[in-house]
């Protein structure tokens, strides 16, 4: 960094310019209590880190535990810093970089899936083409009238992106996506 350049307000400038930003999926096991999600998100926003995808759900009702899955982007040093800072938040029980774990197991990425609901309005040829494409992409029709369809599709984000792009000219008017849920392969837990 040149002496005349000022920090951008983002932690990304700290890393050497030669380090390449990578997308990683983090799994964070937290106590299911008010304010925990706000603290986790606050850590990201307060330091200028971006969240590309965020999903949260209670996973162990009896133990009052929730799992937060975060997809973020940064250099290896920034990702280590994020993980270390997450581990310091009191109600956080465990932080696992699923991308690093997958690579240590000889895999490129963890298993990642997303669900999307997609509303398409149309008639005639557009309606028939929408149904044909839904079948080809293994999307389910979850609601239908003579004027519209609501389709449900599950898969990798890239599959959903492709499906959405193809449906745009056919009358796509609304999309709702869950964000990524992820897990590593093998018998080992988080």
């Amino acid at each position: 960094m040149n002496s005349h350049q000022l920090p951008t307000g983002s932690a990304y400038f700290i890393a050497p310019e030669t380090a390449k930003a990578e997308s990683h999926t983090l799994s964070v096991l937290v106590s299911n209590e008010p304010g925990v999600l706000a603290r986790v998100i606050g850590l990201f926003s307060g330091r200028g880190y971006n969240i590309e995808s965020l999903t949260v759900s209670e996973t162990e009702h009896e133990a009052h535990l929730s799992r937060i899955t975060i997809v973020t982007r940064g250099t290896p040093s920034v990702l280590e810093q994020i993980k270390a800072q997450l581990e310091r938040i009191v109600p956080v029980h465990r932080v696992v970089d699923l991308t690093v774990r997958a690579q240590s197991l000889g895999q490129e990425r963890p298993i990642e899936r997303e669900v999307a609901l997609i509303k398409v309005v149309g008639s005639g040829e557009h309606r028939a083409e929408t149904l044909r494409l839904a079948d080809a992409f293994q999307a389910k029709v979850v609601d239908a009238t003579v004027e519209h369809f609501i389709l449900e599709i599950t898969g990798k984000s890239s599959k959903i992106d492709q499906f959405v792009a193809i449906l745009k000219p056919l009358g796509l008017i609304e999309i709702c996506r869950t964000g990524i849920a992820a897990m590593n392969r093998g018998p080992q837990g988080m």
Side-chain angles (χ1 to χ4, degrees):
M1 188 156 89
N2 297 337
S3 60
H4 68 278
Q5 290 177 317
L6 296 174
T8 62
S10 168
Y12 293 112
F13 76 90
I14 296 170
E17 291 180 24
T18 57
K20 184 179 177 191
E22 305 170 347
S23 179
H24 278 237
T25 303
L26 306 176
S27 189
V28 185
L29 192 63
V30 300
S31 297
N32 186 10
E33 56 188 53
V36 174
L37 180 60
R39 290 177 68 190
V40 169
I41 291 171
L43 181 148
F44 279 78
S45 65
R47 289 163 179 80
Y49 304 141
N50 188 40
I51 296 174
E52 294 178 2
S53 174
L54 174 72
T55 59
V56 184
S57 183
E58 184 177 62
T59 56
E60 297 179 43
H61 185 70
E62 299 296 319
H64 302 289
L65 295 176
S66 290
R67 184 171 176 153
I68 303 173
T69 304
I70 302 168
V71 178
T72 191
R73 185 170 209 67
T75 62
S77 63
V78 167
L79 292 164
E80 276 303 312
Q81 191 177 45
I82 290 170
K83 186 178 172 204
Q85 290 170 353
L86 282 170
E87 288 170 338
R88 284 198 290 269
I89 296 175
V90 173
V92 171
H93 298 274
R94 187 142 193 228
V95 180
V96 176
D97 186 330
L98 297 177
T99 305
V100 169
R101 179 165 297 161
Q103 291 167 352
S104 74
L105 296 169
Q107 300 145 11
E108 190 177 328
R109 303 272 316 160
I111 302 291
E112 296 177 338
R113 294 295 181 267
E114 188 174 5
V115 176
L117 295 174
I118 302 168
K119 187 182 290 186
V120 181
V121 173
S123 59
E125 294 238 355
H126 285 260
R127 189 172 177 82
E129 182 66 5
T130 298
L131 286 175
R132 189 188 68 72
L133 288 166
D135 187 50
F137 277 82
Q138 299 175 342
K140 295 188 305 187
V141 176
V142 293
D143 186 54
T145 68
V146 294
E147 299 171 333
H148 82 280
F149 291 109
I150 296 179
L151 305 168
E152 174 188 314
I153 184 169
T154 303
K156 293 181 180 180
S157 294
S158 58
K159 173 186 174 182
I160 294 171
D161 292 341
Q162 184 181 17
F163 189 53
V164 165
I166 291 170
L167 289 179
K168 277 186 180 175
L170 297 176
L172 185 144
I173 62 164
E174 187 176 357
I175 305 165
C176 179
R177 295 175 74 154
T178 61
I180 293 171
M183 187 177 284
N184 283 118
R185 293 175 169 87
Q188 193 176 28
M190 187 180 143

